[in-house]
Amino acid sequence: MELTTLWFIVVAFLWIGYFTLEGFDFGVGMLMPVLAKDNTERRVMINTIGPVWDGNEVWVLVAGGATFAAFPEWYATLFSGFYLPLLLILVALIVRNLAFEYRHKRDDARWQANWDRAIIFGSLIPAFLWGVAFANIVGGVPIDADSEFTGTVFTLLNPFGLLGGVVTTLLFATHGAMFVALKTVGDIRHRARALAIRLGLAAAVAAVVFMVWTQVDTGDLSSAIAFTAAALALVAALLAAVKGREGWAFTGTFATIALAVTGLFLALFPDVMPSSTDPAYSLTATSAAATAYTLKVMTWVAVFFTPIVLGYQAWSYWVFRKRIGTHHIPTAELEHAR
């Protein structure tokens, strides 16, 4: 296998890891005003992702770094052409992260409500814009002979891109609801599972339309297999949720997102940034790649560090595997006493 192909697979793997893990973080954040009836339940929802959200975000940093190092031309065209939506994503993530850290600093209802809004919108905005961005990457954008993006931000807000945003928002919301059902006890667990089923049905409709559209435009047999598997995984997840099997239901939404993103990368390859201006101007994995020496060095670094990172993150999930409920949340009086 050529190193350019290997690193295309590595970059795809990193984005799959990011969307499957950060996806349920986004979902939990988006659903706070829907699922939580009071402040205690909002704290339960935040605590389900509290030990893991920062580790999940590492994936996007590594994915961006790997893209920059392995495919500098891809990185340059992507981040210059998509600078506004990517900037909005970055700002939303920063505000959301601040909210996780500062929400509990004051026992004041208004203070906490404002940070709750930061969590909600800091989850919703990236969930939607990542879908818009990746839909446009796969569908193609105007790129000239100098590999420069010639469109505007409104170019990205086309029907295909907006549909991509709707799909990722619904899938992440379903994924998040499944995670809350898996990680909680009591009434919120049952409400989360019921909501996950309703959201999953809406996500299934939007996702099928999007995947068929993608397949018709740029797909091949391999992407068709991945998209079909993603649809079946979502159906299996919903059936498991109906039966009250939250573990299998969450596994199903996890597989759905992983397979759907896999299908997008399969539909994209061998391009990394298709040009809607002229196919000859498209950036390919070969033309956008770094030097062979750079790819060799990166490969050895990845071989050494990847198992360590995966092992540590798996360990952290295992440590914080237990369910939580409202009875685990200390009252304000107890907190002040401490």
Side-chain angles (χ1 to χ4, degrees):
M1 180 186 297
E2 294 183 358
L3 285 178
T4 53
T5 302
L6 173 63
W7 273 96
F8 181 88
I9 295 172
V10 170
V11 169
F13 172 76
L14 293 171
W15 283 109
I16 291 168
Y18 175 64
F19 286 132
T20 52
L21 295 174
E22 186 83 312
F24 68 76
D25 285 357
F26 290 150
V28 172
M30 286 187 287
L31 295 177
M32 279 178 55
V34 180
L35 276 178
K37 290 184 176 181
D38 52 34
N39 184 56
T40 303
E41 289 192 345
R42 285 192 289 274
R43 291 177 64 185
V44 168
M45 292 184 67
I46 292 172
N47 285 355
T48 61
I49 60 175
V52 297
W53 67 264
D54 48 355
N56 293 342
E57 283 197 352
V58 171
W59 286 80
V60 72
L61 299 176
V62 180
T67 304
F68 170 76
F71 301 100
E73 289 288 340
W74 183 10
Y75 182 93
T77 302
L78 173 63
F79 280 78
S80 61
F82 290 47
Y83 70 93
L84 183 56
L86 293 177
L87 176 62
L88 290 175
I89 289 172
L90 178 61
V91 171
L93 291 177
I94 291 173
V95 173
R96 173 174 171 265
N97 296 352
L98 289 173
F100 285 136
E101 298 295 337
Y102 283 92
R103 183 189 188 276
H104 66 282
K105 297 296 185 181
R106 288 173 55 182
D107 185 22
D108 178 78
R110 184 175 181 180
W111 170 273
Q112 294 179 356
N114 287 334
W115 286 120
D116 286 343
R117 294 186 188 96
I119 294 174
I120 294 164
F121 288 103
S123 301
L124 176 61
I125 291 171
F128 178 75
L129 290 181
W130 278 128
V132 173
F134 268 80
N136 278 283
I137 291 172
V138 176
V141 291
I143 299 174
D144 63 17
D146 297 321
S147 300
E148 294 183 359
F149 177 79
T150 58
T152 66
V153 67
F154 297 105
T155 305
L156 306 178
L157 301 180
N158 55 75
F160 184 67
L162 294 174
L163 178 58
V166 170
V167 169
T168 51
T169 303
L170 289 174
L171 281 178
F172 292 164
T174 304
H175 199 33
M178 294 291 191
F179 186 74
V180 173
L182 175 65
K183 290 287 293 179
T184 59
V185 295
D187 186 47
I188 191 172
R189 170 188 177 184
H190 303 295
R191 280 187 274 121
R193 188 171 68 233
L195 179 61
I197 295 171
R198 295 195 297 271
L199 287 171
L201 292 173
V205 174
V208 167
V209 174
F210 178 76
M211 289 188 292
V212 170
W213 192 342
T214 304
Q215 184 63 29
V216 170
D217 280 356
T218 62
D220 55 17
L221 179 60
S222 61
S223 61
I225 293 173
F227 288 148
T228 302
L232 294 175
L234 183 55
V235 171
L238 297 178
L239 291 176
V242 170
K243 295 180 180 180
R245 304 292 298 275
E246 288 105 345
W248 285 111
F250 178 74
T251 302
T253 54
F254 188 101
T256 298
I257 296 171
L259 289 166
V261 178
T262 299
L264 290 178
F265 275 94
L266 289 172
L268 179 62
F269 189 77
D271 291 334
V272 292
M273 283 288 286
S275 172
S276 59
T277 304
D278 187 333
Y281 300 155
S282 298
L283 295 177
T284 67
T286 301
S287 65
T291 64
Y293 179 76
T294 299
L295 296 179
K296 286 180 181 179
V297 173
M298 289 176 57
T299 300
W300 284 111
V301 172
V303 167
F304 180 77
F305 284 104
T306 301
I308 297 175
V309 174
L310 293 177
Y312 174 78
Q313 192 157 28
W315 175 79
S316 66
Y317 273 90
W318 175 256
V319 170
F320 296 103
R321 67 189 182 278
K322 293 184 178 180
R323 294 177 181 268
I324 63 173
T326 54
H327 60 284
H328 292 114
I329 304 298
T331 62
E333 291 78 9
L334 285 176
E335 289 182 329
H336 287 310
R338 292 177 182 175

